[in-house]
Amino acid sequence: MKAMKAGMMKNNDDNSTDYISLFQAADLWLMRVDFVFEYPRPTMPNVVYIGGFQCKPAKPLPEHLEEFVQSSGEHGVIIMSLGTFIAELPQDLADQIAAAFAKMPQKVIWRYKGAKPATLGNNTLLVDWMPQNDLLGHPKTKLFVAHGGTNGVQEALYHGVPIIGLPLIYDQNDNINRLEVRGAGKVLDFYTMTEEIFSLGIQEVLNDPSYRMNMQRLSRLHRDAPMKPMDSALFWIEFVMRHKGAAHLRTESYRLPWYSYHSVDVMLPPGRIDSIRT
């Protein structure tokens, strides 16, 4: 499962035990999943959902960023980051993105390490790094242009900021599609994107209040929980430590041979199943 965060396993000195068996025998699974964002599915009692555990209230911005954000007036701020793996873009694409931003009334903070785009507007600030969580939690932030990584999506959901998604790799496309289905974001295709497509996408999400309303509704659902995700993770980790494991919460189905797990031995006559066992 893509959102899997961690499993806690007992010590096992039997060198004959294969990795998959150890993996399946984990006493506890910590899953970076929140059903506000995921789809409902059956689950096991040793699976603890801690989606958004890294999210937290915004802290004050550094003085130079706060000054830039406040200069946006009533139009607010757009922030853009494509994560740590995508620090720069092809020059022509960067120029088209910068040109689209330059026509916006909003101020833009863009985390970008490539060559300065030739079309960069006075309203756009290029930075090597930015306090993403704190910017997403700022009341003047109107939109997040993002690659769709799990951290960024969960932070935007926590703070109720709609997303324009530019997914490229891994789970990014799936993450942004989940937001688009819920009316809280919009997916754009990197490979066919132009200045006009990018500009129209931003204007749609900014000018249609349903995007922000839907994201804020998801944010309220995510926050309305009896325990914070990190507190839940700590409790269950300490639970396993206190009780030297949690075998009573774990399914033993992984010990079954494949034909029993899939009920093949129920469907086939005894003679046939004996041939499978051998």
Side-chain angles (χ1 to χ4, degrees):
M1 302 170 93
K2 69 178 181 62
M4 189 181 299
K5 178 62 180 174
M8 295 193 65
M9 302 179 186
K10 292 180 179 179
N11 292 329
N12 194 318
D13 298 325
D14 183 1
N15 292 328
S16 66
T17 302
D18 63 280
Y19 173 75
I20 296 298
S21 296
L22 284 173
F23 199 66
Q24 292 175 324
D27 284 307
L28 180 71
W29 292 97
L30 302 178
M31 307 292 288
R32 294 181 65 189
V33 172
D34 185 330
F35 284 109
V36 171
F37 182 65
E38 277 284 338
Y39 297 110
R41 60 171 178 262
T43 187
M44 300 302 296
N46 67 333
V47 177
V48 177
Y49 294 99
I50 58 169
F53 74 94
Q54 82 282 8
C55 302
K56 53 192 173 183
K59 295 183 293 187
L61 297 174
E63 185 176 346
H64 72 287
L65 281 182
E66 181 64 31
E67 183 179 341
F68 183 80
V69 168
Q70 291 299 336
S71 70
S72 66
E74 64 179 7
H75 298 294
V77 175
I78 298 169
I79 66 172
M80 177 170 176
S81 174
L82 300 181
T84 55
F85 291 117
I86 308 171
E88 55 186 275
L89 298 169
Q91 193 62 44
D92 59 335
L93 181 57
D95 287 345
Q96 291 185 67
I97 290 174
F101 280 147
K103 297 174 183 177
M104 300 288 169
Q106 289 78 21
K107 291 295 181 74
V108 180
I109 300 175
W110 182 5
R111 181 186 179 277
Y112 188 65
K113 294 186 177 182
K116 181 179 178 180
T119 55
L120 193 71
N122 293 330
N123 67 329
T124 304
L125 176 65
L126 295 183
V127 296
D128 289 341
W129 176 87
M130 64 183 182
Q132 181 172 287
N133 183 74
D134 302 330
L135 280 167
L136 286 169
H138 198 286
K140 284 191 175 292
T141 299
K142 305 297 183 183
L143 178 67
F144 184 26
V145 180
H147 62 309
T150 303
N151 279 348
V153 166
Q154 289 183 346
E155 287 175 355
L157 189 151
Y158 177 85
H159 292 292
V161 178
I163 289 181
I164 287 283
L166 303 173
L168 280 175
I169 54 177
Y170 306 135
D171 60 346
Q172 297 167 7
N173 192 66
D174 184 52
N175 288 339
I176 299 298
N177 278 325
R178 288 169 186 268
L179 286 180
E180 187 171 62
V181 166
R182 290 164 172 81
K186 183 176 179 63
V187 181
L188 297 181
D189 184 358
F190 245 127
Y191 302 101
T192 59
M193 192 175 72
T194 62
E195 176 187 339
E196 182 181 10
I197 291 173
F198 187 60
S199 180
L200 289 174
I202 288 177
Q203 291 177 41
E204 177 184 339
V205 177
L206 285 175
N207 296 331
D208 184 345
S210 68
Y211 284 98
R212 191 168 190 86
M213 290 171 60
N214 287 330
M215 188 60 120
Q216 290 180 342
R217 182 180 64 85
L218 295 176
S219 179
R220 290 192 298 270
L221 289 171
H222 168 72
R223 289 169 175 253
D224 193 0
M227 185 180 293
K228 294 179 180 179
M230 183 60 78
D231 292 338
S232 182
L234 290 173
F235 170 83
W236 284 105
I237 290 171
E238 292 173 354
F239 178 92
V240 172
M241 295 170 65
R242 282 195 302 271
H243 299 285
K244 309 296 191 243
H248 65 292
L249 299 178
R250 185 185 64 216
T251 177
E252 297 296 317
S253 61
Y254 73 96
R255 297 181 184 275
L256 294 174
W258 68 269
Y259 48 81
S260 295
Y261 183 84
H262 294 287
S263 298
V264 175
D265 54 345
V266 175
M267 294 183 287
L268 294 180
R272 292 293 304 277
I273 197 61
D274 288 340
S275 64
I276 292 177
R277 287 173 179 154
T278 57

